[in-house]
Amino acid sequence: MPLTAPLRGVVPPVCTPLDAHGEVDTASLARLAEHLLGGGVHGLFALGSTSEVAYLTDEQRGAALETVVNAVDGRVPVLAGVIDTTTPRVLDHAREAARLGADALVVTAPFYTRTHPREIADHFRRVRQTVDLPLFAYDLPVSVHSKLSPALILELAADGTLAGLKDSSGDEGSLRRLLVALGGRQGRAEGPAPAFSVLTGSELTVDAALLAGVDGVVPGLGNVDPAGYVRLYEAAGASDWPQAAREQERLAGLFAMVDAGPEAEMGRSSSALGAFKAALRLLGVIDCGDTAFPQIQLGAAPVAEVDARLRAAGLTPVR
Amino acid sequence: MPLTAPLRGVVPPVCTPLDAHGEVDTASLARLAEHLLGGGVHGLFALGSTSEVAYLTDEQRGAALETVVNAVDGRVPVLAGVIDTTTPRVLDHAREAARLGADALVVTAPFYTRTHPREIADHFRRVRQTVDLPLFAYDLPVSVHSKLSPALILELAADGTLAGLKDSSGDEGSLRRLLVALGGRQGRAEGPAPAFSVLTGSELTVDAALLAGVDGVVPGLGNVDPAGYVRLYEAAGASDWPQAAREQERLAGLFAMVDAGPEAEMGRSSSALGAFKAALRLLGVIDCGDTAFPQIQLGAAPVAEVDARLRAAGLTPVR
Amino acid sequence: MPLTAPLRGVVPPVCTPLDAHGEVDTASLARLAEHLLGGGVHGLFALGSTSEVAYLTDEQRGAALETVVNAVDGRVPVLAGVIDTTTPRVLDHAREAARLGADALVVTAPFYTRTHPREIADHFRRVRQTVDLPLFAYDLPVSVHSKLSPALILELAADGTLAGLKDSSGDEGSLRRLLVALGGRQGRAEGPAPAFSVLTGSELTVDAALLAGVDGVVPGLGNVDPAGYVRLYEAAGASDWPQAAREQERLAGLFAMVDAGPEAEMGRSSSALGAFKAALRLLGVIDCGDTAFPQIQLGAAPVAEVDARLRAAGLTPVR
Amino acid sequence: MPLTAPLRGVVPPVCTPLDAHGEVDTASLARLAEHLLGGGVHGLFALGSTSEVAYLTDEQRGAALETVVNAVDGRVPVLAGVIDTTTPRVLDHAREAARLGADALVVTAPFYTRTHPREIADHFRRVRQTVDLPLFAYDLPVSVHSKLSPALILELAADGTLAGLKDSSGDEGSLRRLLVALGGRQGRAEGPAPAFSVLTGSELTVDAALLAGVDGVVPGLGNVDPAGYVRLYEAAGASDWPQAAREQERLAGLFAMVDAGPEAEMGRSSSALGAFKAALRLLGVIDCGDTAFPQIQLGAAPVAEVDARLRAAGLTPVR
């Protein structure tokens, strides 16, 4: 579904189910897409960090994106992460994503190398000029190790390079300053970038971000409970802020599953992604909860904790 | 005013006006305290980072705290920062703060040295056991270079070591998880620490933090516009969240003064503290806007920008 | 030239000359390889950070590696960087490097994702088991944002996973502890890993590292002055440490070219790589000094500074 | 002993022995000073990080410095750390150190606050102008969280603000560039700052640093084995670099005691300082090995490891 207006709503970054050999389980992935659409989400973000994009070969990236595009079949927009170290490599992914039918691209600043803001601006501009799809900047300092400044985002919004921002920086103060500079929650439409979409990736403060004026949310936990995030979004839309906060609190309790894996034994990313996938397996959505190599897999005790978190949040495991 | 219940409301960290020789200008400081009380604030926090505590000699710290305690004269509680590298040095400050009439102490984790969470817990416990005043943990990674984990705060809340937390970590996701663990916005009273007070120091997301369930805010910008933060707090108390957000947006615009000083010429801390003090001078509250040595002083152009920000936010300079 | 014993000596990371369209200039690259061999180097490292590997598409990586392998024609070993975010992607590069005739692989820990030491160990083991070539760990925290601990290196040396380490961590104290644990400068041959090769990437402290017992050096600046690094290595081999230090001092003066590009206008990586390439162009080795997009190019003044640094170090520009 | 020429040689940062109540054990401290002088050291550095200066009250700092000055009785220069957050607080310590007879001051950049290089330069200048003692800059990013740039050091050396630098940054490449800019190992006397003394605090690479041209070393481990560092310094002075390297290797093996304390249970600083003090107690130099509160104390097993490290390095515990 082409993006004709600012993207709004709940846009989960879609997990990539793998089979026992580490290959993309396209049947499970199609079921996951259906699970998300059934929850009422407004878009899907394939090949993001939660999709384990950094662990997927080019071939696997293609298989995952193609599966999502086909499963969605135009019902909502599909954003595709085109994540790589620098512009030349990103462009290869971007062309492929366009060929496979993505409706928009999501791009980080260069990483692995030390880059200057002017170089980062040139990077986004080149991607936008080369592949004709709406472009979202992905601000993820925990992975990219630099922060996109509000000034840079404003510049790239004003000149039409960017259609939006996915802010996973965790810097809510900086986000607020950006939103105010964009015109504030009331005045966004009259601002310098009327069609600019600000999405938060901070899944624990979505009520707050919506109150501050973001357009939507890209919640990793939305894989597990898409309907919960949709209810939260709708409560905010109805200005029922206490209800939005209650829903957010329930989701924050559910989110605690990300620490199920013992810190002494595995990375925090492996624990979080493993918990989301374990939850999806317990809910019957996907067949296998494995994360990609070399991530350590969750043992029985962490999976039992995921099960308990699901039940406490009112979700019912089916296995 | 002794703390007999969880501290709630707006508790500005009080700037420390200096004279042309770099000494504490007690007359200006007393006027500032009156300015804040006149704005309706619910407590004052002396000797915090915004007070330039790191730049004040022991003698100057004493003069500043004594002035604030005397000016307040029991109308609201006075919290005193007792900021130093480790426990033995903090205890010396804590005893002096108690002697001068502080109602509560605010303490960071040890800094300059690399410290373990067990050592940090022992640090807070020793301070609480040695000086009989309510104790607030001050989470300020930008200065202390370690983050207080929610688990540590919960442990020290549950055993009565801490009366509260001043969270200036900027990590709103972590704060949300702490609030949920403390019982959530509804259930705080039934939680493990009924009298535990959570204050945010993130002055750009106060509406969001109040929606999430914090008890109050410690806004540096509250020196300049205490009444604005009080209105924001009261709108939240009345569940008028759109009004709270509008007030927050106005304050975010005002806050942009912190970048008045050119980044190539001075530290970000000097720029921010210089802007707050320039604003207080322009508003007629204090006599001299100088910050402590070796901070670079704001030039005429940055002060003019501060003036413009005041007017844009509806405040009227008198000089 | 297959690696049959620990790699020793000077092994420059080979710059990748580009033409005006940003494509690999294979003729210039072949000349550069000949320039390095003419300087007496003991191996070449293609597709490292200095090779702008992070900016090269898969196709360009293949062209660069193939050119170097063909130009060297077995005279010295060719190490190939197989740099990507995680194991599955690294394996694709590793298979291609083996196919193109690399003699050894150079691999970093996973990046972009947050990884645990156990996961890093599994990563190196899987690469070694999958592609049958000697494997060097590449410790480069400035890009990878994690440090390989001496304990991890010792474990992977002892079990035969690693043939060596390229240490670009800049942590000379940690390197010294590793060397002592490997048996010290005298006892390396009797240590747990007799064939283990330790190479430093810290081009300003090569005399010191050789005194401490490293086997060789991977100097980016060695592109510009390979003979200088070979003289330094040979002085150390002859235990003429004052001469080694004098050569290192001359090279440190030459190295100052990396700051030629103004800090306000371009990244530090762009400045350093641009300076090396400008020097190679001035010396007549390559045709065009451009770095890959989106790096900012050096202007005339920085190139003049590179020229001056060359002359001051006794090297003679030919254009 | 007044500093009349560049300080050269081995200048250990003196541990501060404490009694069972956490007070300065002046008798043990005097014995420690004698132990160090007996080892042939060329100066003493009191109230540095290894002295636990961050844990000592003002009164304890005074007691420690006075004890060292009296014990040394003019035989070697005594440098005094005057460590605090900003200039006004540092000046109070500096005046007291001068009063107690220190021969030079050692000062870090401001910490706790975010400071600009211009502010750091003003800070050092003000200290030098206010207290008439030779001034050493102390570069310790692990505690101060900013790095002193070579450019800043060169500026403050050239204008006479600084008599020297204690470089504990661990950035040996940056140190090399500074030394080359100061004239190199041969030409230091003709450089811009003929009397400028560069001391390294990196105790594992002293041979390398001396080869590169530093004037001396400030080794924490020198408390335990001052004679070893003096032998290393003398071997370097005699240009017997292999012997210097062998001595450094032996000391690197001894240094491994710093990891005796289990990482899961205590801070790295507590482990290292605890190991040094345990070693001094085992060697009969001081009476009690306790570190200051809130540091966790070493248990029996770590102390046994310290004992083993001492014996392996040829030192003989007496209890």
Side-chain angles (χ1 to χ4, degrees):
Chain A
M1 190 176 97
L3 281 178
T4 53
L7 182 60
R8 294 212 166 88
V10 178
V11 186
V14 188
C15 284
T16 307
L18 303 175
D19 64 21
H21 303 94
E23 294 302 326
V24 178
D25 174 355
T26 54
S28 285
L29 179 51
R31 280 202 303 279
L32 174 54
E34 209 55 51
H35 166 70
L36 298 172
L37 290 169
V41 304
H42 308 87
L44 293 184
F45 172 31
L47 302 181
S49 301
T50 301
S51 317
E52 297 174 84
V53 66
Y55 296 89
L56 301 179
T57 64
D58 287 354
E59 198 176 353
Q60 291 171 329
R61 290 186 185 195
L65 179 56
E66 191 167 27
T67 301
V68 171
V69 168
N70 288 344
V72 165
D73 196 23
R75 287 176 284 177
V76 296
V78 174
L79 287 67
V82 289
I83 307 299
D84 216 314
T85 47
T86 66
T87 326
R89 296 185 63 80
V90 166
L91 286 176
D92 276 359
H93 297 296
R95 292 186 192 97
E96 179 69 1
R99 195 184 66 78
L100 293 172
D103 298 305
L105 303 176
V106 184
V107 171
T108 70
F111 53 92
Y112 186 86
T113 184
R114 288 165 294 157
T115 305
H116 189 273
R118 276 187 55 196
E119 296 168 339
I120 296 173
D122 289 350
H123 167 74
F124 285 116
R125 288 194 176 105
R126 177 68 62 91
V127 175
R128 185 64 190 87
Q129 289 157 4
T130 306
V131 178
D132 190 21
L133 282 175
L135 179 61
F136 286 73
Y138 189 177
D139 194 16
L140 186 69
V142 72
S143 291
V144 173
H145 299 282
S146 67
K147 167 96 183 81
L148 299 175
S149 72
L152 182 67
I153 295 296
L154 288 168
E155 177 187 330
L156 295 173
D159 73 6
T161 298
L162 295 180
L165 167 71
K166 186 205 164 193
D167 178 10
S168 296
S169 70
D171 186 341
E172 307 305 316
S174 175
L175 176 61
R176 189 57 167 273
R177 294 186 74 179
L178 175 69
L179 289 166
V180 170
L182 284 168
R185 59 198 302 273
Q186 304 289 325
R188 292 282 302 285
E190 306 149 35
F196 192 75
S197 172
V198 180
L199 308 175
T200 180
S202 299
E203 54 216 321
L204 297 173
T205 52
V206 179
D207 52 348
L210 289 166
L211 178 60
V214 301
D215 300 286
V217 56
V218 185
L221 185 64
N223 282 277
V224 179
D225 191 4
Y229 277 99
V230 170
R231 284 195 299 274
L232 164 47
Y233 178 73
E234 291 177 348
S239 281
D240 187 351
W241 297 103
Q243 177 56 27
R246 275 191 296 274
E247 191 65 44
Q248 180 65 82
E249 287 194 354
R250 189 186 60 82
L251 289 164
L254 182 62
F255 182 78
M257 70 169 60
V258 301
D259 289 330
E263 194 155 358
E265 292 175 26
M266 61 197 301
R268 289 304 82 198
S269 173
S270 307
S271 176
L273 296 176
F276 292 164
K277 286 182 142 182
L280 287 169
R281 194 185 65 78
L282 291 169
L283 293 172
V285 179
I286 69 175
D287 285 343
C288 166
D290 283 3
T291 51
F293 189 87
Q295 294 174 95
I296 304 286
Q297 305 304 319
L298 292 182
V303 170
E305 186 182 331
V306 171
D307 186 279
R309 294 278 175 196
L310 288 171
R311 294 178 193 276
L315 301 175
T316 310
V318 298
R319 52 183 145 199
Chain B
M1 191 177 98
L3 281 178
T4 53
L7 182 61
R8 294 213 166 88
V10 178
V11 186
V14 188
C15 284
T16 307
L18 302 175
D19 64 23
H21 304 94
E23 294 302 325
V24 179
D25 174 354
T26 55
S28 286
L29 179 51
R31 280 202 304 276
L32 173 55
E34 209 57 49
H35 166 69
L36 298 173
L37 290 169
V41 306
H42 308 86
L44 293 185
F45 171 31
L47 302 181
S49 302
T50 301
S51 317
E52 299 176 83
V53 65
Y55 296 89
L56 302 179
T57 63
D58 287 354
E59 198 176 353
Q60 291 171 329
R61 291 187 185 195
L65 179 56
E66 190 168 25
T67 301
V68 171
V69 168
N70 289 342
V72 166
D73 196 23
R75 288 177 284 176
V76 297
V78 175
L79 286 66
V82 289
I83 308 298
D84 216 314
T85 47
T86 65
T87 325
R89 296 185 64 80
V90 166
L91 286 176
D92 276 0
H93 298 295
R95 291 187 192 98
E96 180 69 1
R99 194 184 66 78
L100 293 171
D103 298 305
L105 303 176
V106 184
V107 172
T108 69
F111 53 92
Y112 187 87
T113 184
R114 290 165 292 159
T115 304
H116 188 274
R118 274 187 57 196
E119 295 168 339
I120 296 173
D122 288 351
H123 166 75
F124 284 116
R125 289 195 176 104
R126 176 68 62 92
V127 175
R128 184 63 190 88
Q129 289 156 3
T130 306
V131 178
D132 189 22
L133 282 175
L135 179 61
F136 285 74
Y138 189 176
D139 194 15
L140 186 69
V142 74
S143 291
V144 173
H145 299 281
S146 68
K147 167 99 182 78
L148 300 175
S149 72
L152 182 67
I153 295 297
L154 287 169
E155 177 187 330
L156 295 172
D159 73 5
T161 298
L162 295 179
L165 167 71
K166 186 205 163 193
D167 178 10
S168 296
S169 70
D171 186 342
E172 306 305 317
S174 175
L175 176 62
R176 190 56 166 272
R177 294 186 73 178
L178 175 69
L179 289 165
V180 169
L182 284 167
R185 59 198 301 275
Q186 304 290 326
R188 292 282 302 286
E190 307 149 35
F196 192 77
S197 172
V198 180
L199 308 175
T200 179
S202 298
E203 52 215 323
L204 296 173
T205 52
V206 179
D207 52 348
L210 290 165
L211 178 60
V214 301
D215 299 286
V217 57
V218 186
L221 185 64
N223 282 276
V224 179
D225 192 2
Y229 277 100
V230 170
R231 284 195 299 272
L232 165 47
Y233 178 72
E234 290 177 349
S239 282
D240 187 350
W241 297 102
Q243 177 56 26
R246 276 191 295 273
E247 191 65 43
Q248 178 66 80
E249 286 194 356
R250 190 186 59 82
L251 289 164
L254 182 62
F255 182 79
M257 70 168 62
V258 300
D259 289 329
E263 193 156 358
E265 292 174 26
M266 59 198 302
R268 290 303 84 198
S269 174
S270 306
S271 176
L273 296 176
F276 292 164
K277 286 182 141 184
L280 288 170
R281 193 186 67 80
L282 290 169
L283 293 172
V285 179
I286 69 175
D287 286 343
C288 167
D290 285 3
T291 51
F293 190 87
Q295 295 173 93
I296 305 286
Q297 304 304 319
L298 292 181
V303 170
E305 185 181 332
V306 171
D307 186 277
R309 294 279 175 195
L310 288 171
R311 293 178 194 278
L315 302 174
T316 310
V318 298
R319 52 182 145 198
Chain C
M1 192 176 95
L3 280 179
T4 53
L7 182 60
R8 295 212 165 87
V10 178
V11 186
V14 188
C15 285
T16 307
L18 302 175
D19 65 21
H21 304 94
E23 293 303 324
V24 178
D25 173 354
T26 55
S28 286
L29 180 51
R31 280 202 303 278
L32 173 55
E34 209 57 50
H35 165 70
L36 298 172
L37 290 169
V41 305
H42 308 87
L44 294 184
F45 172 31
L47 302 182
S49 302
T50 301
S51 317
E52 300 175 82
V53 66
Y55 296 89
L56 302 178
T57 64
D58 287 354
E59 198 176 354
Q60 292 171 327
R61 291 186 185 195
L65 179 56
E66 190 167 27
T67 301
V68 171
V69 168
N70 288 343
V72 165
D73 196 23
R75 288 178 283 178
V76 296
V78 175
L79 286 66
V82 289
I83 308 298
D84 216 314
T85 46
T86 66
T87 325
R89 296 185 64 80
V90 165
L91 286 175
D92 276 359
H93 298 295
R95 291 187 192 97
E96 180 69 1
R99 195 184 66 78
L100 293 171
D103 298 305
L105 302 176
V106 184
V107 172
T108 69
F111 53 92
Y112 186 86
T113 183
R114 289 166 294 159
T115 304
H116 189 273
R118 275 186 58 196
E119 295 167 339
I120 295 173
D122 288 350
H123 167 75
F124 284 117
R125 288 195 176 104
R126 176 69 63 92
V127 175
R128 184 65 190 86
Q129 289 156 4
T130 305
V131 178
D132 190 21
L133 281 176
L135 179 61
F136 286 73
Y138 191 175
D139 194 16
L140 186 69
V142 72
S143 291
V144 174
H145 299 281
S146 67
K147 166 100 183 77
L148 299 176
S149 72
L152 183 67
I153 295 297
L154 288 168
E155 177 188 330
L156 296 173
D159 73 6
T161 298
L162 294 180
L165 167 70
K166 186 204 164 194
D167 178 10
S168 296
S169 71
D171 186 342
E172 307 304 317
S174 175
L175 176 61
R176 189 58 166 272
R177 294 186 73 178
L178 175 68
L179 289 166
V180 169
L182 284 167
R185 59 198 302 274
Q186 304 289 326
R188 293 282 302 284
E190 307 149 34
F196 192 76
S197 173
V198 180
L199 308 174
T200 179
S202 299
E203 53 214 323
L204 296 174
T205 53
V206 179
D207 52 348
L210 289 165
L211 178 60
V214 299
D215 299 286
V217 56
V218 185
L221 184 64
N223 282 277
V224 179
D225 192 3
Y229 277 100
V230 170
R231 284 196 299 273
L232 165 48
Y233 178 72
E234 290 176 348
S239 282
D240 187 350
W241 297 103
Q243 178 56 28
R246 276 191 295 273
E247 192 65 43
Q248 178 66 82
E249 286 193 357
R250 190 186 59 81
L251 290 163
L254 183 62
F255 182 78
M257 70 170 60
V258 301
D259 290 329
E263 195 156 357
E265 291 175 26
M266 60 199 301
R268 288 305 82 197
S269 174
S270 306
S271 176
L273 296 175
F276 292 164
K277 287 183 141 182
L280 288 170
R281 194 186 65 78
L282 291 169
L283 293 172
V285 179
I286 69 175
D287 285 343
C288 167
D290 284 3
T291 51
F293 190 87
Q295 294 174 94
I296 304 286
Q297 304 304 318
L298 292 181
V303 170
E305 184 182 331
V306 170
D307 186 278
R309 293 276 176 198
L310 288 171
R311 294 179 194 275
L315 302 174
T316 311
V318 299
R319 53 181 146 197
Chain D
M1 191 176 96
L3 281 178
T4 54
L7 183 60
R8 294 211 165 88
V10 178
V11 186
V14 188
C15 284
T16 307
L18 302 175
D19 64 22
H21 304 94
E23 293 302 326
V24 178
D25 174 355
T26 55
S28 286
L29 179 51
R31 279 202 305 278
L32 173 54
E34 210 56 51
H35 166 70
L36 298 173
L37 290 169
V41 304
H42 308 87
L44 293 184
F45 172 30
L47 301 182
S49 302
T50 301
S51 317
E52 298 174 84
V53 65
Y55 296 90
L56 301 179
T57 64
D58 288 354
E59 198 177 355
Q60 292 172 328
R61 291 186 185 195
L65 179 56
E66 190 167 27
T67 300
V68 171
V69 168
N70 288 342
V72 165
D73 196 22
R75 287 177 284 177
V76 297
V78 175
L79 286 67
V82 289
I83 308 299
D84 216 315
T85 46
T86 66
T87 325
R89 296 186 63 81
V90 165
L91 287 175
D92 276 0
H93 297 295
R95 290 186 192 99
E96 179 69 0
R99 195 184 65 79
L100 292 172
D103 298 305
L105 302 177
V106 184
V107 171
T108 69
F111 54 92
Y112 187 85
T113 184
R114 289 166 293 158
T115 305
H116 189 273
R118 275 187 58 198
E119 295 167 339
I120 296 174
D122 289 350
H123 167 74
F124 284 116
R125 289 195 176 105
R126 177 68 62 90
V127 174
R128 184 65 190 87
Q129 289 157 3
T130 306
V131 178
D132 190 21
L133 282 176
L135 180 60
F136 286 74
Y138 190 176
D139 194 15
L140 185 70
V142 72
S143 291
V144 173
H145 299 282
S146 67
K147 167 98 182 78
L148 299 175
S149 73
L152 182 67
I153 295 297
L154 288 168
E155 177 187 331
L156 296 172
D159 73 6
T161 298
L162 294 180
L165 167 70
K166 187 206 163 191
D167 179 9
S168 296
S169 70
D171 186 341
E172 306 305 317
S174 175
L175 176 61
R176 191 56 166 273
R177 294 187 74 178
L178 175 69
L179 289 166
V180 169
L182 284 168
R185 59 197 302 272
Q186 304 288 325
R188 292 280 302 286
E190 308 149 35
F196 192 76
S197 173
V198 180
L199 308 174
T200 180
S202 298
E203 54 215 323
L204 296 173
T205 53
V206 179
D207 51 349
L210 289 166
L211 178 60
V214 300
D215 298 287
V217 56
V218 185
L221 185 64
N223 282 277
V224 179
D225 191 3
Y229 276 100
V230 170
R231 283 194 300 273
L232 165 47
Y233 178 72
E234 290 177 347
S239 283
D240 187 351
W241 297 104
Q243 177 56 27
R246 275 191 296 274
E247 192 66 42
Q248 179 66 82
E249 287 194 355
R250 189 186 60 81
L251 289 164
L254 182 61
F255 182 78
M257 71 169 61
V258 301
D259 290 329
E263 195 155 357
E265 291 174 27
M266 60 198 302
R268 290 303 82 197
S269 174
S270 307
S271 176
L273 296 176
F276 292 164
K277 287 184 141 180
L280 287 170
R281 194 186 66 77
L282 291 169
L283 293 172
V285 179
I286 68 175
D287 286 343
C288 167
D290 284 3
T291 52
F293 191 86
Q295 295 173 93
I296 304 285
Q297 305 304 318
L298 292 181
V303 170
E305 186 182 331
V306 171
D307 187 277
R309 294 277 176 196
L310 287 172
R311 294 177 194 276
L315 301 175
T316 311
V318 298
R319 53 183 145 197

